[in-house]
Amino acid sequence: MLQPVIAIVVPCYNESAVLSMSMAKLSEVLGAMVEDGTVSSQSYILCVNDGSTDSTWEEIEKFHRRDTRIKGISLAHNRGHQYALLAGLMTVKDRCDAAVSIDADLQDDPDIIPEMVKLFIAGNEIVYGVRKSRATDSWFKRTTARTFYTMQRRLGVDTVYDHADYRLMSRRALELLADYGESNLFLRGIIPQIGLDSAVVTYDRQKRAAGESKYPLAKMISFSIDGVTSFSAKPIRLIFATGLILLLLDIVVAIYVLCSYFADSAISGWTSLMLSIWFLGSLILMSIGVVGEYIGKIFTEVKHRPRYAIRDMLWD
Ligand code: UDP
Ligand code: MG
């Protein structure tokens, strides 16, 4: 595709401390791409104000007055990063050839956007920004993040390691994303499921340019639980597996208990109590697991996820 229209989507929640800096930087990157003819002069930046309580929206209005290449939408109330991002992506879906999503705090290096665009022009529909190292993160953030990705992988969520929500998506990828009607949004899990040609660009993640993180530990934990529970019924299977393991252990316990009984070393009532606790315990767990399997089915049904996505078609 020659000179595609690129939309840069920036979710902003109480970002007045950093917004002027990031708009200057993003405009510079976009301007340079327009100048050298890589992208269309119709390309733009869309700020999504996620119900900020500070002057973020007034600032976006100011930027727009100064330069109409900076556009804005404002959500009625704070819905969280994922929803703000979705609102932005769905707004630009019919108004661009590809959209790049990036945080407002300049942690994701905007200088790799031209590289993402080149990979898009070369035919990739999704380009993931993946961070090279976590040297700028604190030990705590590094460890929790690593645990987050490993746990998700183990529990059956397909994500791209060390990729947050810095990515380019083609118009077609955005259209396929629009078919996912689920309310619990975990974009990092959905996008690899879309399954078009993709590429990766690595970058060094910087410290936040100004302002504070809107993702403290508690929000991060709830986000990661959301990620697992929106994508995988594996935890339910684990219940059944635990029940099964207990049932096997039950045989060992039963042998031990019966031996004690026949050796007369058990006080009266202990044998029957032990046998029933273990047997019933494993039975209850397995039953919960069976019920869980059905709940797991309901869980995938209610999401109404698209069952297939057609990539190419030869007709006529
Ligand atoms: N954000 C948002 N709504 C929220 C919280 C955050 O739109 O409720 C935006 C925020 O403005 C930023 C991005 O999401 O552009 C990532 O947030 P932040 O940088 O605070 O997260 P961190 O990088 O610390 O994980
Ligand atoms: Mg950040």
Side-chain angles (χ1 to χ4, degrees):
M1 185 179 297
L2 276 175
Q3 297 195 326
V5 176
I6 299 294
I8 300 179
V9 178
V10 192
C12 313
Y13 175 58
N14 292 350
E15 296 290 11
S16 57
V18 76
L19 211 56
S20 57
M21 237 188 288
S22 41
M23 284 307 118
K25 179 68 196 171
L26 290 173
S27 306
E28 179 198 316
V29 171
L30 194 64
M33 286 194 295
V34 171
E35 201 108 310
D36 68 18
T38 328
V39 304
S40 152
S41 58
Q42 303 290 307
S43 302
Y44 57 92
I45 299 169
L46 175 74
C47 298
V48 183
N49 173 34
D50 183 17
S52 300
T53 49
D54 66 356
S55 61
T56 298
W57 182 241
E58 287 73 31
E59 284 191 39
I60 296 170
E61 285 175 325
K62 206 173 70 198
F63 293 129
H64 178 65
R65 274 197 301 273
R66 229 185 280 153
D67 178 3
T68 50
R69 212 185 267 172
I70 298 179
K71 306 183 188 305
I73 56 170
S74 187
L75 302 190
H77 63 151
N78 179 239
R79 285 292 287 128
H81 175 227
Q82 299 286 292
Y83 299 91
L85 192 53
L86 184 74
L89 293 176
M90 292 303 110
T91 307
V92 302
K93 176 167 71 79
D94 303 319
R95 301 181 173 102
C96 70
D97 296 311
V100 176
S101 52
I102 185 168
D103 286 354
D105 55 7
L106 293 178
Q107 283 194 283
D108 307 320
D109 181 7
D111 287 323
I112 64 160
I113 294 178
E115 215 174 313
M116 288 177 150
V117 171
K118 273 192 198 110
L119 284 164
F120 163 66
I121 294 173
N124 292 287
E125 309 242 10
I126 300 173
V127 183
Y128 298 101
V130 169
R131 54 165 91 175
K132 257 184 232 160
S133 77
R134 285 184 173 267
T136 51
D137 280 356
S138 65
W139 173 87
F140 182 72
K141 181 98 188 181
R142 260 203 312 268
T143 319
T144 45
R146 192 165 305 144
T147 317
F148 172 85
Y149 288 105
T150 318
M151 191 186 80
Q152 294 212 325
R153 203 48 80 75
R154 295 244 168 89
L155 288 173
V157 190
D158 184 17
T159 50
V160 177
Y161 191 77
D162 262 357
H163 157 72
D165 283 299
Y166 185 23
R167 72 176 85 78
L168 175 146
M169 293 177 79
S170 70
R171 187 182 187 139
R172 178 152 59 157
L174 292 172
E175 272 160 10
L176 293 175
L177 173 66
D179 289 340
Y180 284 77
E182 57 204 83
S183 328
N184 281 296
L185 206 56
F186 187 70
L187 290 170
R188 279 170 231 187
I190 298 176
I191 287 154
Q193 274 197 0
I194 292 178
L196 297 167
D197 289 345
S198 65
V200 162
V201 178
T202 54
Y203 66 99
D204 284 317
R205 190 159 157 105
Q206 307 301 320
K207 278 207 161 67
R208 197 172 230 288
E212 276 168 14
S213 170
K214 277 65 186 182
Y215 272 89
L217 184 65
K219 245 184 173 175
M220 248 166 58
I221 291 176
S222 107
F223 185 55
S224 73
I225 292 177
D226 231 26
V228 173
T229 51
S230 299
F231 277 87
S232 158
K234 250 194 184 165
I236 292 174
R237 293 252 160 86
L238 285 180
I239 300 178
F240 187 80
T242 314
L244 203 65
I245 291 168
L246 279 185
L247 193 67
L248 294 178
L249 265 177
D250 186 25
I251 299 170
V252 181
V253 174
I255 294 171
Y256 168 70
V257 167
L258 286 174
C259 285
S260 316
Y261 176 73
F262 287 116
D264 263 345
S265 61
I267 49 169
S268 105
W270 181 74
T271 314
S272 52
L273 206 61
M274 280 303 274
L275 288 178
S276 27
I277 287 177
W278 274 80
F279 182 66
L280 284 178
S282 48
L283 210 64
I284 290 172
L285 271 185
M286 282 168 67
S287 314
I288 295 177
V290 171
V291 174
E293 276 296 315
Y294 288 93
I295 295 184
K297 287 264 149 61
I298 297 173
F299 152 94
T300 45
E301 290 292 337
V302 295
K303 283 189 186 303
H304 285 294
R305 280 192 182 151
R307 282 169 292 183
Y308 54 82
I310 295 174
R311 191 191 129 109
D312 294 308
M313 205 162 164
L314 297 173
W315 203 263
D316 293 335

